Amino acid sequence: MSASATAKKRIQELREALERYNYRYHVLDDPEVSDAEYDRRLRELQQLESEHPQLVTPDSPTQRVGATPVGELNEVVHSTPMLSLDNAFTEEDLVNFDRRVRERLDDVESVEYCAEPKLDGLAVSFRYEAGQLVQAATRGDGTRGEDVTHNVRTIKSVPVRLRGDYPELLEVRGEVFMTIAGFKAMNEKAVAAGEKVFVNPRNAAAGSIRQLDPRLTASRPLDAYFYSVGETRGWKLPPKHSESLEQLREWGLRISPLVKVVQGAQGCLEYYRDIGERRSSLPYEIDGVVYKVNRLQQQRDLGFVSRAPRWAIAHKFPAHEENTIVRGVEFQVGRTGALTPVARLEPVFVGGVTVSNATLHNMDEVRRKDIRIGDTVVIRRAGDVIPEVVKVILDRRPSDASEVQLPEKCPICASDVERVEGEAVARCTGGLFCPAQRKEALRHFASRRALDIEGLGSKLIEQLVDSEMVKTPADIYRLTETQLTELERMGEKSAQKLLEQIGQSKTKATLSRLLYGLGIRDVGESTALALANHFGSLSALMSADEEKIQEVPDIGPVVAKHVRNFFSQPHNLEVIDELRTKFGIDPTVAPRPSGSAEGALTGKTFVLTGTLESMSRDQASDRITALGGKVSGSVSKKTTYVVAGAEAGSKLAKAQELGVEVLDEAGLIQLLQST
């Protein structure tokens, strides 16, 4: 046998041995050899590969460290969204969650859950093709994350190649975290070297996984557990989530040893209490436990709401609490003009971070808790995240403690502050005029479902507002190429492209889009569409009193008052007048007869899934709702049609299971044209 062939054989033996050692150590928690023996085998492999570089492969154990730094973290679009979870903070919250689950499952007597600790780390998606790790990405906003493959490959508990009979494609989700001992050792080393220390293990893990240089990440004590399955190909999921986890374990993916199947709400609560008692002795930080309905068919039946599944919940542990002093109260103004009282606190260290501010929510909450400036209060990081004032320690109240007063004028624009009777929130009436509301109002105006000005994102809006080029939506249409090229990272071609998009937005400006884009309080897309269809023009709506507005189906006195108030503000009318008279944005629709909101698709519910070729799903939704139809995000027995585009997923399967009529894209177009 030649020297090269001998080396190739030995390299293969070493790789198989090292992969087995990793599996036994990280997944089974049953080490086969000592650390010294592992290191000797790894050094031998490194030596052989340096002598025979043509035999180095991407999945070799030696390739976990030493890769070339990347220039930036590229964006990754998740094949299936990485959803967040709703939270339960009390036992009552958990019992109510279980009740809702059972009711939605046709009142089953008891539900089986898969429970596990909720690690305080960073959610990451791991993609394996033909058994090899090809991509890892952070959760990001749930739809888009950052490519951190170069760093994830350095984590020893993350296999670069799966074991056994793995599927063609497997995308799994997991938590990257740092053990408490590893965190302390890393910080001690940093102190000795005079370097920056991290506040807590979670921040350390998040910062480490987002490094550009994987050699730095490799020096950090990162670890990982896997907890769910995303996209797959070549594998039929077993009936239960817990069985999926066991299969992941067989493929070499490490799952929490504390995963347990429990029965009903009582089983969940018993697990919660048990983990709570063991929390302080665990080698890593957790902030609660997660319960998931164990049967996958029941998960599919329950579906999703907003960005969270109905079949899972995070049960948080009681937050850390500390005492501090309220030094003052200021009022922040949000996009809708809501004034939120914020307590300025004597800085205090709570749950791993220094807290100097805490929301007081609204004046009703301030009065209920009787919070005064100068009081000593109990501060809590609710859910280990949001600081809030729990209560006042009355026996420590100083004699000069002063009551918190709601300002009569907006602290930003000096417009009147309005508090509607029966509502907890007070609001600035400045509308489009108030600088505090300006950036978010402009972002909303330019958003995809409003005027749809592509390229006019949050960062650019910040520049335009900060430079005082844009104060109102009308100012967007005054922008010139000369002005835009003065902005940071805005060249001539980019400026020209943005101006084209601004011009095109005038043709996209249907009446419902414009009404939605104006940001009128409580006027969402469906309400804007109802107003547009009823009145037919801005002029008709602007001249209508509250009684006339209430004639619109599903619009009550509260929304009618908000609409009337918006069109009563002189500065709002000035902006609208400019949009109409100077820039030609004055769309109309043929109003429906009074008392009739019927359309050709009224009473029909559509669910869109997959990719459409001739139109976007947003455009399809617009056309359906314009004809009176309703577009839903989940399939049920009440669904009239499921429109299935390319690569349709579970919603198509659900429709077939329930016997719901399925339309392809051509069928949808034919239906729209025929109506």
Side-chain angles (χ1 to χ4, degrees):
M1 184 179 294
S2 67
S4 178
T6 301
K8 184 176 182 180
K9 180 182 178 183
R10 181 55 180 164
I11 285 174
Q12 187 60 34
E13 290 173 352
L14 289 169
R15 287 176 182 169
E16 291 175 356
L18 290 167
E19 288 172 359
R20 186 174 69 253
Y21 298 160
N22 275 329
Y23 177 72
R24 292 285 296 272
Y25 183 91
H26 294 290
V27 180
L28 302 184
D29 197 23
D30 181 24
E32 182 176 339
V33 296
S34 66
D35 290 347
E37 177 64 18
Y38 180 95
D39 290 340
R40 280 194 293 271
R41 298 288 180 95
L42 181 61
R43 284 196 297 272
E44 182 184 354
L45 178 60
Q46 289 171 330
Q47 180 62 33
L48 284 170
E49 287 184 349
S50 67
E51 296 170 357
H52 303 276
Q54 74 278 10
L55 299 179
V56 177
T57 59
D59 59 346
S60 172
T62 63
Q63 299 306 296
R64 288 188 178 274
V65 297
T68 303
V70 297
E72 62 179 356
L73 299 180
N74 295 321
E75 183 182 271
V76 172
V77 178
H78 298 301
S79 57
T80 56
M82 293 186 70
L83 301 171
S84 56
L85 294 179
D86 286 334
N87 295 321
F89 293 102
T90 66
E91 291 191 359
E92 182 182 5
D93 290 343
L94 186 276
V95 170
N96 287 335
F97 164 74
D98 175 66
R99 173 184 53 77
R100 292 193 299 270
V101 166
R102 289 185 289 105
E103 288 175 350
R104 289 192 175 103
L105 293 176
D106 297 326
D107 290 319
V108 298
E109 290 186 5
S110 183
V111 174
E112 188 179 84
Y113 295 95
C114 184
E116 65 181 298
K118 184 179 182 299
L119 276 78
D120 199 11
L122 184 73
V124 174
S125 165
F126 307 80
R127 189 177 183 88
Y128 291 86
E129 294 179 3
Q132 186 169 321
L133 178 66
V134 296
Q135 187 180 78
T138 61
R139 178 183 179 277
D141 64 3
T143 302
R144 292 174 171 82
E146 293 176 317
D147 190 336
V148 291
T149 313
H150 61 298
N151 289 330
V152 163
R153 291 177 65 88
T154 70
I155 304 173
K156 292 182 179 178
S157 55
V158 177
V160 292
R161 175 169 288 279
L162 301 178
R163 296 168 54 87
D165 187 16
Y166 42 76
E168 177 185 356
L169 169 66
L170 177 67
E171 187 241 330
V172 290
R173 278 77 191 271
E175 195 84 358
V176 172
F177 62 96
M178 192 174 289
T179 63
I180 296 172
F183 168 76
K184 289 181 178 178
M186 184 185 70
N187 267 355
E188 289 171 359
K189 185 178 178 181
V191 169
E195 298 173 349
K196 174 187 173 182
V197 297
F198 284 95
V199 175
N200 55 49
R202 186 191 186 283
N203 287 349
S208 299
I209 206 66
R210 299 187 68 253
Q211 293 294 321
L212 298 179
D213 188 347
R215 290 169 296 188
L216 181 57
T217 304
S219 69
R220 306 274 176 84
L222 294 176
D223 216 334
Y225 277 131
F226 299 84
Y227 56 72
S228 69
V229 179
E231 183 184 13
T232 66
R233 189 165 60 244
W235 177 40
K236 183 179 180 181
L237 290 170
K240 296 184 178 182
H241 173 69
S242 56
E243 294 170 348
S244 295
L245 293 182
E246 283 303 316
Q247 181 59 70
L248 295 184
R249 190 168 182 264
E250 291 182 18
W251 286 329
L253 297 163
R254 189 177 181 225
I255 65 171
S256 170
L258 299 178
V259 170
K260 185 178 181 181
V261 175
V262 299
Q263 196 68 35
Q266 189 59 39
C268 290
L269 293 176
E270 289 174 0
Y271 181 85
Y272 175 84
R273 295 173 192 134
D274 176 55
I275 296 298
E277 292 174 359
R278 301 165 64 177
R279 183 184 184 187
S280 60
S281 63
L282 294 176
Y284 41 75
E285 289 194 347
I286 61 174
D287 58 2
V289 299
V290 175
Y291 314 113
K292 298 174 184 173
V293 172
N294 199 26
R295 294 185 178 277
L296 299 190
Q297 184 56 55
Q298 290 182 333
Q299 290 187 9
R300 288 189 283 267
D301 291 341
L302 290 164
F304 304 84
V305 57
S306 185
R307 298 176 68 84
R310 288 195 178 99
W311 41 264
I313 198 165
H315 192 174
K316 294 298 192 74
F317 287 126
H320 299 295
E321 297 180 348
E322 290 289 348
N323 296 347
T324 189
I325 298 173
V326 178
R327 295 301 186 191
V329 173
E330 298 177 3
F331 287 82
Q332 294 180 343
V333 184
R335 180 184 72 83
T336 62
L339 268 67
T340 301
V342 177
R344 303 305 183 194
L345 307 169
E346 186 72 27
V348 61
F349 198 71
V350 185
V353 299
T354 299
V355 173
S356 56
N357 304 311
T359 179
L360 299 179
H361 301 292
N362 53 60
M363 288 304 295
D364 281 354
E365 189 76 356
V366 172
R367 298 289 179 251
R368 184 180 70 81
K369 293 179 178 178
D370 190 22
I371 299 169
R372 302 185 186 186
I373 298 170
D375 274 340
T376 297
V377 296
V378 177
I379 194 79
R380 172 196 293 162
R381 290 186 64 214
D384 289 342
V385 178
I386 306 169
E388 67 171 349
V389 173
V390 180
K391 63 180 180 180
V392 174
I393 304 177
L394 290 175
D395 58 6
R396 297 191 191 180
R397 171 169 285 170
S399 58
D400 60 347
S402 57
E403 292 188 5
V404 179
Q405 300 295 333
L406 177 69
E408 295 181 357
K409 299 289 185 178
C410 172
I412 304 299
C413 71
S415 296
D416 291 341
V417 171
E418 173 189 58
R419 189 177 182 189
V420 178
E421 185 177 349
E423 292 190 7
V425 179
R427 299 179 188 273
C428 164
T429 59
L432 300 175
F433 171 75
C434 180
Q437 303 173 57
R438 187 171 295 157
K439 290 180 181 179
E440 188 59 29
L442 290 168
R443 186 204 62 77
H444 180 74
F445 182 85
S447 65
R448 184 164 49 90
R449 304 296 286 159
L451 275 291
D452 191 22
I453 305 177
E454 186 177 341
L456 189 55
S458 298
K459 292 183 178 179
L460 183 53
I461 285 173
E462 285 190 15
Q463 288 191 70
L464 291 169
V465 172
D466 291 344
S467 63
E468 298 189 347
M469 290 184 188
V470 172
K471 294 182 179 180
T472 73
D475 291 337
I476 292 173
Y477 297 91
R478 290 193 181 88
L479 289 171
T480 65
E481 184 178 323
T482 301
Q483 286 179 305
L484 291 174
T485 52
E486 293 176 0
L487 299 174
E488 183 180 352
R489 296 183 178 180
M490 179 64 73
E492 184 177 325
K493 289 185 178 180
S494 297
Q496 291 172 353
K497 185 175 181 181
L498 177 59
L499 290 174
E500 288 175 6
Q501 291 294 324
I502 291 173
Q504 290 175 16
S505 71
K506 298 179 184 180
T507 63
K508 300 176 187 177
T510 62
L511 182 54
S512 61
R513 278 180 175 268
L514 178 58
L515 289 174
Y516 173 64
L518 290 175
I520 305 169
R521 187 176 163 203
D522 287 343
V523 175
E525 291 180 67
S526 60
T527 301
L529 181 62
L531 289 167
N533 287 334
H534 185 87
F535 288 101
S537 70
L538 266 175
S539 298
L541 174 58
M542 290 165 65
S543 62
D545 58 21
E546 289 182 38
E547 289 185 5
K548 286 287 186 183
I549 296 172
Q550 286 185 63
E551 292 178 3
V552 180
D554 298 326
I555 291 185
V558 174
V559 175
K561 183 177 181 64
H562 295 332
V563 174
R564 185 63 257 149
N565 284 349
F566 181 89
F567 289 117
S568 298
Q569 297 293 324
H571 35 256
N572 291 340
L573 296 178
E574 289 175 10
V575 172
I576 293 169
D577 182 63
E578 285 192 284
L579 289 173
R580 298 170 69 191
T581 61
K582 291 188 178 181
F583 305 110
I585 303 176
D586 191 16
T588 60
V589 297
R592 293 174 180 165
S594 179
S596 174
E598 294 295 317
L601 299 180
T602 297
K604 294 180 171 58
T605 301
F606 292 72
V607 173
L608 307 176
T609 181
T611 303
L612 303 178
E613 294 183 2
S614 62
M615 68 184 93
S616 69
R617 279 163 57 168
D618 285 340
Q619 291 171 328
S621 295
D622 287 342
R623 295 181 65 177
I624 290 168
T625 54
L627 292 168
K630 177 182 177 182
V631 178
S632 175
S634 59
V635 182
S636 70
K637 294 178 181 178
K638 296 181 180 180
T639 304
T640 311
Y641 299 108
V642 167
V643 179
E647 300 181 6
S650 59
K651 292 177 183 177
L652 174 58
K654 181 70 172 179
Q656 294 168 338
E657 179 185 328
L658 294 177
V660 174
E661 185 172 351
V662 177
L663 300 176
D664 59 12
E665 187 171 353
L668 173 64
I669 293 172
Q670 183 178 359
L671 178 64
L672 293 173
Q673 291 175 343
S674 66
T675 54

